[in-house]
Amino acid sequence: MSSHTNQANGALDERSIPTMGMTGQAFLDAAGSVVNDIERYYTTLPSRPVFPSISPGYLQKLLPIAPPMHGEPWADIESDIERTIMPGITHWQSPKYMAFFAASSTYPGILGEMWSAALTSANFNWICSPAVTELETIVLDWLAQILALPDLFLSKGEGGGVIQGSASEAVVTVMVAARERYIRRHLERKGATDPDEIEDQSCELRGKLVAFASAEAHSSTKKGAIIAGTRFRSIPVHRSDGYALTGKQVRAKIEELQARGLHPYYLGVTLGTTNTCAIDDFESIAEVAKDYPDIWIHCDAAYAGSALVLPEYQYLSKQMTLVDSFNMNMHKWLLTNFDASCLYVRKRKDLTDALSITPTYLKNQFTDSGLVTDYRDWQIPLGRRFRSLKIWFVLRTWGVEGLKQHIRHHLKLADLFVELVKSRSDIFRLLTPPKFALTVLTIKPRDGKSPELAEIDEGDPRPFHDQQVPIELGTDDHELQRANDITKEVYTKLDETKEFFLTASVVGGVYAIRVVSVNPLAEEKYIRRVFGLLVEITERVLKGSDETQH
C-alpha cells in the first residue's frame, strides 16, 4: 500500500488525491484558466456555428468506455472541454440563436453559480443555512415589486415566492396543491371526518378531477396533470380572439365537464404563449372565476413575464389578482443563468398543506416555532440549491433601470426585424401581430395567394421541445398545402446552413417560422443578417417552385 503524500492529515489518511481534489494553489491556477477560457468562449461565440454538426452517439467515440483507474492532471481534463464537449454544444448564448426562447447567461450570474457551488448545502430547511432561505425570500419580494405584482404575492402577507427549477416544475407543484385543496374543501362540505372515509372519498374524487387550459398552453400543463394523476382537457382558441383563451370558453368548458360528472380543479392561463405570445383574456376569465372559487388558476408567464419590468406592460401585473399562482423564468429573458424559475402563490398555506411532511429527523426548534420558512414544503424535492445568490448578483448589477434598458433593447431589435419583413411583403407575411420580441412569419407563394388562418386553432401538434423538427401537415386545401410546403422548405434550408438556429410552428393550420432574438449578446447586425439569409433562401425556393409549377 502506497504511503499518503499529505502527512499533515494523519497516519490513517492513505488517500493519494488531495482532499479537495487539488491544492489551494492548484485551484487558483485552474480556476484562473477556466475563467479565461469562459471569457474567451463568450468573446468568440459569434464565430462558432450555433448548432452542432455531429451525429447521435458522437461522444461515445471520443471517450473511453471505462472510467479512469487513477486520477488525471487537471490540464488533461480541461483540454477535453474543447476537444469533446464543444462539438456537441448548441450555443444558446450565441447572438445567432433565435429559437424557442432564450436561456440567459451573464457574468454576474456565473459568479453567483460559483459561490453557490462553493457553499453547497441541501437547504431543505432554514437551519441548513439561514442565509439561503432568507435571501430567497428577500430577492423574490424585490422581483415581485419590480414586476409590479399585487401585494398579495409578497411574503409580508399570506403569499410569497419560491425559486423552482423550471416553469414545468412550478406547474406540477401548484397542480398538486390545487388537487389537494379541491379535495379538502369538497370533503369538508360533505362533513367527512372518519379517516378511512376521507381516504376512500379522496381516491374516488381524484379519478374525476380535470385540469384544463388553452390549446396554446405549454405542454407542461398536460404533463403536470399526468403526474398529478388527473385528467386534462384543452380548449381550442380562435384567430378572431388573437388566440387568447376567453371567459366565455372557460365557462362553457366548466359546464361541459360538470355535466359529465367531472370536477374541474385547475385552470392554466398564459401570459405569452409559446407559438405567438398570445395573452389570455384575464378580465373576462376573472368574472367567470368568481363563480368557481374552488378552481385553482395558475398563470404561466415563463418568457413574457420579464416584460413586466416595463411600466407599459404593468397593466397586466394588476390583473394577476385573478390567479392563485404566477410563474416567470428569470433564466429566459432576465439575465439570470438557468435555473431560476420564480413561482408566486397568493396563499403559501395551500402549498404547505399539500406538500409538508416532517419526519422526526427534520424537526428542529426553529421550524416548530413557526417563525421561519422551510422551502422544502413549497416544492416537490426535499433538497434545493442556493439559487437566490445569482438573482441577488444580477439585480444588484443591473438595478431596475438596467433591467428596463435590457428589455427595451430587445423590443427595438424585434421592431427592426418586423420592419424588414414588411419591406418584403411580396415574399413574407406576418402571421400574427408581433409580441414580446417574437415574430411569426410565413412565406407567400409567387402568385400572391396567401393561405387563410383557420378560425379555430388546436395548437401545434408537436410539443414545444420538438419544434425544431419539420412536420408534415396534410390538408385538402391545395393553396394552403403549397404555401406550407414552401415555408417548410425555406425553414429546412436555413436550418441546414447551421449559421442561425430558428424554430418553426403551426398556427391555425399554417406552417410558420418563429424568430426571437433576446439573449444578452443580441445585436442589430445579426438581425439584419438573418433577414438577409431568409430573403436569399426564400427567393431561391420560390424560383424553384415557379419552375416546378410551369
Side-chain angles (χ1 to χ4, degrees), residues 17 21-22 30 68 70-80:
I17 304 297
M22 56 182 71
H70 302 285
E72 302 175 31
W74 171 253
D76 293 349
I77 299 170
E78 184 179 19
S79 66
D80 273 351

Side-chain angles (χ1 to χ4, degrees), residues 397-416:
T397 299
W398 270 271
V400 177
E401 288 304 315
L403 297 179
K404 291 178 182 178
Q405 293 168 9
H406 166 72
I407 299 296
R408 288 195 198 282
H409 170 66
H410 291 135
L411 293 175
K412 289 178 181 178
L413 291 180
D415 288 343
L416 168 63

Side-chain angles (χ1 to χ4, degrees), residues 295-411:
I295 297 179
W296 185 295
I297 302 178
H298 173 70
C299 179
D300 178 2
Y303 166 68
S306 296
L308 300 182
V309 303
L310 299 179
E312 56 264 40
Y313 287 112
Q314 290 179 352
Y315 72 95
L316 294 167
S317 306
K318 296 174 183 176
Q319 295 179 26
M320 291 303 105
T321 53
L322 153 74
V323 303
D324 294 278
S325 52
F326 171 91
N327 175 254
M328 61 81 64
N329 290 347
M330 287 191 72
H331 61 244
K332 276 189 166 66
W333 196 6
L334 215 53
L335 299 161
T336 308
N337 296 54
F338 191 87
D339 50 353
S341 186
C342 302
L343 170 65
Y344 291 91
V345 291
R346 67 187 302 145
K347 289 190 176 180
R348 54 183 176 266
K349 191 173 185 296
D350 288 332
L351 277 187
T352 58
D353 282 351
L355 301 172
S356 178
I357 296 178
T358 308
T360 303
Y361 60 82
L362 291 180
K363 290 182 178 294
N364 62 82
Q365 61 178 345
F366 303 102
T367 295
D368 292 344
S369 72
L371 299 177
V372 299
T373 296
D374 286 341
Y375 278 122
R376 73 168 190 272
D377 297 331
W378 295 48
Q379 61 177 26
I380 303 298
L382 177 64
R384 53 207 327 276
R385 301 195 308 113
F386 195 178
R387 291 178 287 216
S388 59
L389 200 56
K390 60 191 173 189
I391 295 177
W392 190 45
F393 286 8
V394 166
L395 294 183
R396 293 182 65 186
T397 299
W398 270 271
V400 177
E401 288 304 315
L403 297 179
K404 291 178 182 178
Q405 293 168 9
H406 166 72
I407 299 296
R408 288 195 198 282
H409 170 66
H410 291 135
L411 293 175

Side-chain angles (χ1 to χ4, degrees), residues 198-269:
I198 290 174
E199 183 178 6
D200 291 343
Q201 291 187 21
S202 296
C203 291
E204 182 181 354
L205 183 56
R206 280 195 184 97
K208 298 178 180 179
L209 294 180
V210 184
F212 64 113
S214 156
E216 289 289 318
H218 193 274
S219 57
S220 61
T221 307
K222 182 177 182 179
K223 186 173 185 178
I226 293 171
I227 295 171
T230 66
R231 307 183 196 200
F232 174 77
R233 296 290 184 272
S234 66
I235 304 175
V237 288
H238 296 257
R239 171 171 55 89
S240 55
D241 295 323
Y243 302 109
L245 183 65
T246 67
K248 181 179 179 181
Q249 292 172 301
V250 169
R251 186 181 295 278
K253 178 57 72 172
I254 292 172
E255 292 175 351
E256 173 198 324
L257 293 170
Q258 290 181 335
R260 295 177 55 200
L262 300 175
H263 294 256
Y265 76 102
Y266 173 98
L267 169 63
V269 298

Side-chain angles (χ1 to χ4, degrees), residues 143-158:
L143 180 63
Q145 295 172 60
I146 293 170
L147 302 177
L149 292 177
D151 285 352
L152 57 88
F153 291 116
L154 297 176
S155 64
K156 65 182 180 182
E158 294 182 292

